[in-house]
Amino acid sequence: MEQRTYNQYCATARTLDLVGERWTLLLIRELLTGPKRFGDLQAALRGLGTGLLSTRLKHLEREGLARKVTLPAPARTPAYALTEAGEELGPAVLALARWGMTWAMGERRESEAFHPGWAVLGLRACFDPEAAAGLHAVYEFRVGDEVFHARVADGTVETLHGPAQDPDATLTIGEAEFLAAVEGAGLARALADGAATATGDAEALRRMKSLFRLPARRSRTA
């Protein structure tokens, strides 16, 4: 497939030549949270056909943004991971996510897929470094069948799929209730109703709300 180009000697245009095609940035979004197998990417990106997924992955490999790897034991299966250049797209993807939370999100459309695992990157986009000053804590999130965690260390955060080894605080919530919280219902309501539970260190729990905050939504029209 011939690669389309804006034919502009401009950094923005050159970047869009590389990652501006449909699905490409979403592939990078998935790989920003760690290596993924082909099947993992298919499951996370419903609507992306096998042929087009292969084409996009080959494009990312050819352009030096992704590479093939082998997952460690016990999996030992082929997967894809970002290169250094691909990883450096992380701040741009997070900036797009923050913009979207403010200006693009609304109620979920009936046709839209939702995957709780996307919150692994969403937590980074919502993270407030100033609120995390002096805090060292590990938070585990159990959302439906998904488990992921966030490691906070004095103003920085690392979020990963899978359970934490020794979490300071754990939030357990159903997928529907989590989605409602993302849509604006708020986590406090789910906790008050018993639809969610939070356990662990009291100080870590008290500070969790200020660490991960959804930006206020705004209308794009006057």
Side-chain angles (χ1 to χ4, degrees):
M1 184 182 296
E2 184 179 355
Q3 182 176 328
R4 293 184 288 185
T5 175
Y6 288 101
N7 283 318
Q8 294 182 9
Y9 188 58
C10 160
T12 303
R14 283 284 186 93
T15 302
L16 290 174
D17 283 347
L18 296 176
V19 300
E21 291 280 5
R22 189 166 183 256
W23 295 107
T24 304
L25 272 179
L26 293 185
L27 269 174
I28 290 169
R29 177 198 69 187
E30 294 301 314
L31 295 175
L32 279 169
T33 57
K36 301 288 188 303
R37 296 170 296 186
F38 191 92
D40 297 330
L41 295 170
Q42 273 190 311
L45 299 172
R46 296 173 187 172
L48 175 57
T50 302
L52 186 54
L53 175 56
S54 296
T55 298
R56 291 289 181 264
L57 287 170
K58 288 176 183 177
H59 167 77
L60 291 176
E61 284 187 84
R62 184 173 60 250
E63 298 298 343
L65 298 174
R67 60 192 175 90
K68 289 178 181 174
V69 297
T70 300
L71 295 178
R76 297 191 185 280
T77 55
Y80 294 87
L82 292 176
T83 62
E84 180 184 2
E87 290 283 356
E88 288 207 3
L89 285 165
V93 173
L94 290 179
L96 283 171
R98 284 189 291 270
W99 185 92
M101 290 173 189
T102 302
W103 297 101
M105 293 294 282
E107 291 187 4
R108 180 184 178 187
R109 302 183 187 116
E110 192 173 321
S111 61
E112 288 181 324
F114 175 74
H115 196 284
W118 292 334
V120 175
L121 205 60
L123 288 173
R124 298 183 203 174
C126 295
F127 181 67
D128 184 347
E130 292 184 4
L135 177 66
H136 293 265
V138 178
Y139 295 88
E140 183 173 279
F141 300 87
R142 301 173 183 172
V143 183
D145 295 331
E146 290 277 349
V147 181
F148 46 92
H149 66 278
R151 190 176 301 275
V152 178
D154 192 18
T156 65
V157 67
E158 178 186 26
T159 60
L160 296 167
H161 289 281
Q165 283 191 335
D166 188 19
D168 297 285
T170 300
L171 174 70
T172 304
I173 187 171
E175 184 174 330
E177 291 76 17
F178 181 74
L179 180 58
V182 170
E183 290 180 327
L187 182 59
R189 182 184 301 178
L191 289 168
D193 294 344
T197 60
T199 58
D201 180 75
E203 177 64 11
L205 289 169
R206 184 186 67 81
R207 297 185 65 173
M208 183 172 67
K209 183 179 179 181
S210 62
L211 294 175
F212 307 104
R213 294 187 295 182
L214 289 169
R217 292 179 182 172
R218 298 179 62 185
S219 172
R220 298 190 303 274
T221 58

